[in-house]
Amino acid sequence: MTTLLVKNIHTLVTMDATRREIRSGAIFVRDNVIEQVGTSQEISQTADEVLDLQGRYIVLPGLVNTHHHFCQTLTRVIPKSQNCDLFNWLINLYPIWANLTAEAIYISAQMAAAELILSGCTTASDHLYIYPNDCTLDDEIRGIQDIGIRFHASRGSMSVGESLGGLPPDSLVEKEPDILKDSQRLIEQYHDNSRHAMLRITLAPCSPFSVSQDLMRESAAMARSYQGVRLHTHLAENKADVTYSLENFGMIPGDYAESVGWLGEDVWHAHCVQLSDESILKFGKTGTGVAHCPCSNMRLASGIAPLRKMLDNKVPVGLGVDGSASNDAGNLLQEARTAFLLARVGSCDASIMTAREILEVATIGGAKVLGRDDIGYLAPGMSADFIAINIDRPQFAGAHHDLVAALIFCQVNSVDYSFINGKKVVDRGRLTTVELETLVEKTNRIAHQLVA
Ligand code: ZN
């Protein structure tokens, strides 16, 4: 057993039930679990490791990323796809992704996770739906286990190619029995439903325009036959996506999801930019979650997701940076700021959302969307996932009137410390688990090969 004491925290943002913000705060951790949260005066015992933050850091729960495609880190700003909407963007990228290899999956997962961790993320979900050459989800899992972020790995899939009216080329889709067989293998090999689990498996047929309704139903049935295996997909991303649903299924996206059994507390959908008011009500009533990805939605000109309306109707919402080919960053603190600003400009209402509300979406909201009751806020019994940010950095200069709001208002975009499952993964702004310079070099080498 090892213990950790983090003390003299300028402001400890707990995000607990009463949203306590503790001045001169402290956290005591035993192994991977928080044992005490309070003031430095209240928590005075010593520990195996003591981190004295000398009143110069703000500490908050690690942020949760609910939607990503790690492998897209290799295909950012591809010239042909820079100025396209969703479908054309995909059509230009599929042939490049067809060259992915196991090594590319491993390295891009680490690169994406590194970027997320440095921007405050301690739990990430990824959606890998393309398996050309020797690629498997195992490659991504290995990469993530080596870097040490809490991980929800989604076994994505595509089964309806161009010849059947889908969007992806036939060469990139898999046979449905193979998808289901591999899904079952991955659940049985990796899924950990225990409290504080570092790895869980999700089943995630890609989108209405790349899988069949059968596969949606079969995947849901399989996921629900295991404890804690969740369901994830893309839905109502833009107007063309809605048109596709109407033309191919005779239903709007929300009704399509309902018709294949994809509403419920164990389901979350990415984007939902064009979700109808009625569907929002259904999502709220059934506890169906949404991954809100504002940068990607802006980049692909998909529209502005009705974030306020979703929250007001009790839809669980978390943030997602989405794949790095449509963001093209993977910075979760930035994503929170963008979500906050976009909600305001989309409604022409500066009071529509506060900085603290978007921090809730980024922490508690993300935890809810991923079905976790052990992360998202700081309290005894919770997983030891938290981040610390120095308040002397330039972005906070002149902003000490409200440092918590300044996290969002003032474009703070990196952390100085990150603890994940009790382990120090960022130390004074540097990753401790991988050599970042080497990782960047490898990423660039593979990205070049992939496109060449
Ligand atoms: Zn996506």
Side-chain angles (χ1 to χ4, degrees):
M1 281 219 176
T2 56
T3 53
L4 163 73
L5 173 66
V6 182
K7 65 177 186 179
N8 294 321
I9 298 165
H10 179 282
T11 306
L12 173 56
V13 183
T14 64
M15 290 287 171
D16 65 7
T18 56
R19 305 288 186 269
R20 273 188 309 159
E21 294 173 6
I22 303 170
R23 289 301 294 267
S24 189
I27 304 178
F28 186 82
V29 173
R30 191 177 300 277
D31 292 331
N32 58 337
V33 181
I34 296 172
E35 207 167 88
Q36 284 176 273
V37 170
T39 63
S40 296
Q41 228 173 7
E42 288 164 351
I43 304 171
S44 56
Q45 74 267 47
T46 188
D48 299 326
E49 187 187 351
V50 177
L51 178 64
D52 184 348
L53 294 178
Q54 303 186 341
R56 309 313 302 164
Y57 291 79
I58 185 164
V59 166
L60 62 156
L63 311 184
V64 179
N65 190 53
T66 61
H67 186 64
H68 206 319
H69 310 286
F70 289 163
C71 65
Q72 291 181 15
T73 305
L74 299 161
T75 55
R76 304 196 223 219
V77 293
I78 294 291
K80 259 174 94 177
S81 273
Q82 280 177 18
N83 307 311
C84 298
D85 61 11
L86 174 67
F87 285 4
N88 289 308
W89 172 87
L90 280 167
I91 287 165
N92 285 324
L93 283 165
Y94 286 136
I96 301 176
W97 295 336
N99 300 323
L100 284 165
T101 60
E103 188 197 14
I105 297 291
Y106 178 92
I107 292 296
S108 58
Q110 286 205 336
M111 191 66 248
E115 207 179 352
L116 282 174
I117 292 170
L118 289 169
S119 68
C121 179
T122 55
T123 297
S125 160
D126 189 62
H127 186 185
L128 181 62
Y129 56 79
I130 200 160
Y131 297 90
N133 308 310
D134 58 345
C135 298
T136 61
L137 192 63
D138 308 66
D139 307 314
E140 182 170 305
I141 290 170
R142 276 190 301 115
I144 293 305
Q145 286 178 329
D146 290 345
I147 200 168
I149 195 168
R150 201 177 294 281
F151 189 37
H152 285 229
S154 299
R155 204 309 178 178
S157 52
M158 300 198 292
S159 64
V160 176
E162 264 175 315
S163 65
L164 293 173
L167 195 72
D170 289 348
S171 58
L172 276 182
V173 304
E174 297 174 89
K175 292 195 178 74
E176 296 191 353
D178 295 345
I179 292 167
L180 291 165
K181 198 172 156 207
D182 195 44
S183 299
Q184 182 169 18
R185 174 189 71 83
L186 288 159
I187 295 169
E188 289 178 358
Q189 189 169 341
Y190 295 110
H191 182 67
D192 177 1
N193 199 43
S194 67
R195 200 167 161 80
H196 313 299
M198 287 295 283
L199 176 61
R200 285 188 185 160
I201 299 291
T202 296
L203 298 190
C206 185
S207 62
F209 51 85
S210 59
V211 299
S212 72
Q213 289 162 287
D214 262 0
L215 185 63
M216 293 295 282
R217 289 195 191 94
E218 295 278 330
S219 298
M222 181 181 290
R224 287 169 179 151
S225 69
Y226 294 92
Q227 284 284 319
V229 175
R230 299 176 79 74
L231 294 162
H232 181 48
T233 190
H234 294 91
L235 197 77
E237 183 161 349
N238 67 3
K239 286 188 177 142
D241 194 2
V242 177
T243 304
Y244 186 94
S245 270
L246 287 168
E247 283 175 359
N248 288 274
F249 314 118
M251 287 177 264
I252 55 171
D255 292 347
Y256 159 82
E258 187 176 24
S259 75
V260 289
W262 276 62
L263 296 188
E265 282 176 0
D266 58 348
V267 184
W268 86 104
H269 297 274
H271 304 298
C272 295
V273 174
Q274 306 292 347
L275 204 62
S276 73
D277 286 357
E278 242 174 75
S279 300
I280 291 174
L281 284 176
K282 280 185 190 170
F283 272 45
K285 279 194 187 123
T286 54
T288 308
V290 169
H292 176 43
C293 309
C295 283
S296 172
N297 299 156
M298 292 162 77
R299 201 273 205 194
L300 297 173
S302 301
I304 301 176
L307 175 59
R308 180 77 268 168
K309 206 176 275 178
M310 291 180 193
L311 294 175
D312 288 346
N313 284 288
K314 307 260 181 291
V315 177
V317 182
L319 290 181
V321 296
D322 201 3
S324 297
S326 70
N327 185 308
D328 294 343
N331 189 305
L332 199 48
L333 274 164
Q334 286 284 346
E335 202 70 29
R337 183 171 193 260
T338 304
F340 167 73
L341 295 176
L342 189 62
R344 290 187 170 202
V345 78
S347 60
C348 292
D349 179 0
S351 69
I352 196 161
M353 180 155 302
T354 67
R356 282 173 172 79
E357 276 182 294
I358 205 66
L359 280 173
E360 284 177 17
V361 173
T363 52
I364 307 165
K368 179 112 203 273
V369 163
L370 296 187
R372 307 235 21 166
D373 60 4
D374 50 0
I375 58 167
Y377 62 95
L378 304 177
M382 298 296 281
S383 303
D385 291 7
F386 52 90
I387 53 178
I389 300 172
N390 187 298
I391 61 171
D392 295 321
R393 54 172 72 205
Q395 295 97 333
F396 282 127
H400 287 229
H401 323 290
D402 186 350
L403 284 167
V404 180
L407 283 166
I408 296 299
F409 271 95
C410 300
Q411 200 149 354
V412 175
N413 58 17
S414 65
V415 300
D416 297 287
Y417 293 96
S418 176
F419 288 84
I420 304 178
N421 211 36
K423 188 177 171 195
K424 195 194 284 169
V425 176
V426 177
D427 185 9
R428 285 159 292 173
R430 289 190 67 84
L431 281 165
T432 62
T433 48
V434 293
E435 176 63 50
L436 190 60
E437 289 74 12
T438 314
L439 181 58
V440 169
E441 226 175 83
K442 283 184 188 164
T443 303
N444 284 330
R445 177 178 54 79
I446 294 170
H448 182 73
Q449 289 167 355
L450 197 66
V451 176

